[in-house]
Amino acid sequence: MGRPKSFEPDVVVARAMETFWTNGYAGTSPADLAEATGVAKGSLYHAFGSKRELFGKALDRYGRVGFELTEEVLARPGTAKECIRAYLMLLVEADLNGPVRRGCLAMNTELELGAQDEEAALAVRRMVERSIQLLAGRIEKGRLDGDVAAEVDPNAQARFLMNTIVGLRVMVRTFDGPVLYQIIDTALAGL
C-alpha cells in the first residue's frame, strides 16, 4: 500500500489557484506549484494528474468561491443599485488593495487559453453565464421591489453589467481607483 496523502487537497487547490491567478497558466511552472503548495511535484501529479488538471480544479474553485461571494453581496439589504455597486466596488477594491493587480482569473484564462483550450473556454463561459443570472435575478428583485424601473430588461442590463465587470477587471491592472469608480457609477446609471 502507498503512503497516505500528507496534504489537504482543497488547500493545495486553493494555493495553486492563487499561483495560476498571479502568474497565468503558462507562467506557472511545476516548480512554482510545488513551492506554493508545499507538495512535491511528483506528489502533485500523482494526486491531480497533470498541471492542466490541477488548473481545471483551481478554475472550478475560483468559480465556486466567486459565486458564493456574489450571492452574498447581492442578497444584502438595500436597493438593487446599492447591492450591485457594493459588488462592483468589492471586485475593484480587492485588486487595488492586493499585493499584485491580477484582475479576474476567469478573464485572464479566456485571454490566455480561450482560443486553444475548449474546456477552459467552456468553464469561463459557464462562469460568465452564472454571473449574468445572479445579476439579472437581483435586478428583477429590484423591479419587484420598485427600486428598478419596470421597463429595464434584467437580462440585457445584467449582460451590460457583466461586460462592465470584464472591462473593470482588465482595467484594474493599469488604472487607479478614481477612473474605475467613475466607470462603476456610469454603468449603474441605467438602473
Side-chain angles (χ1 to χ4, degrees), residues 66-81:
F67 297 140
E68 289 169 6
L69 178 66
T70 303
E71 288 172 334
E72 186 271 317
V73 174
L74 294 181
R76 291 177 183 169
T79 66
K81 189 174 191 174

Side-chain angles (χ1 to χ4, degrees), residues 7-170:
F7 58 86
E8 177 58 45
D10 290 339
V11 172
V12 170
V13 170
R15 289 178 180 165
M17 179 192 78
E18 295 293 333
T19 305
F20 285 124
W21 193 359
T22 301
N23 302 327
Y25 179 76
T28 300
S29 70
D32 294 331
L33 291 169
E35 181 180 339
T37 63
V39 178
K41 288 186 275 187
S43 296
L44 275 175
Y45 285 117
H46 180 73
F48 297 100
S50 68
K51 174 182 163 182
R52 177 59 185 86
E53 289 176 81
L54 180 55
F55 179 74
K57 291 185 183 310
L59 195 56
D60 288 344
R61 176 181 170 67
Y62 181 82
R64 266 192 330 276
V65 170
F67 297 140
E68 289 169 6
L69 178 66
T70 303
E71 288 172 334
E72 186 271 317
V73 174
L74 294 181
R76 291 177 183 169
T79 66
K81 189 174 191 174
E82 290 167 345
C83 291
I84 293 169
R85 185 176 201 287
Y87 174 61
L88 298 179
M89 291 293 290
L90 181 88
L91 295 175
V92 167
E93 291 293 329
D95 268 328
L96 290 176
N97 296 326
V100 178
R101 291 187 187 191
R102 50 192 183 173
C104 171
L105 178 59
M107 292 304 102
N108 296 347
T109 298
E110 180 61 31
L111 292 171
E112 181 182 2
L113 300 176
Q116 64 212 31
D117 186 328
E118 189 175 322
E119 188 177 331
L122 185 57
V124 171
R125 183 177 178 114
R126 282 192 303 262
M127 282 187 241
V128 169
E129 288 172 348
R130 177 72 177 129
S131 295
I132 290 169
Q133 288 174 347
L134 293 172
L135 289 164
R138 186 59 187 93
I139 294 166
E140 180 59 30
K141 181 182 181 319
R143 283 177 35 163
L144 296 173
D145 292 346
D147 60 75
V148 173
E151 64 272 7
V152 171
D153 179 335
N155 292 312
Q157 191 67 36
R159 286 189 294 271
F160 172 77
L161 288 170
M162 190 67 227
N163 188 65
T164 301
I165 290 167
V166 170
L168 285 168
R169 299 304 305 273
V170 172

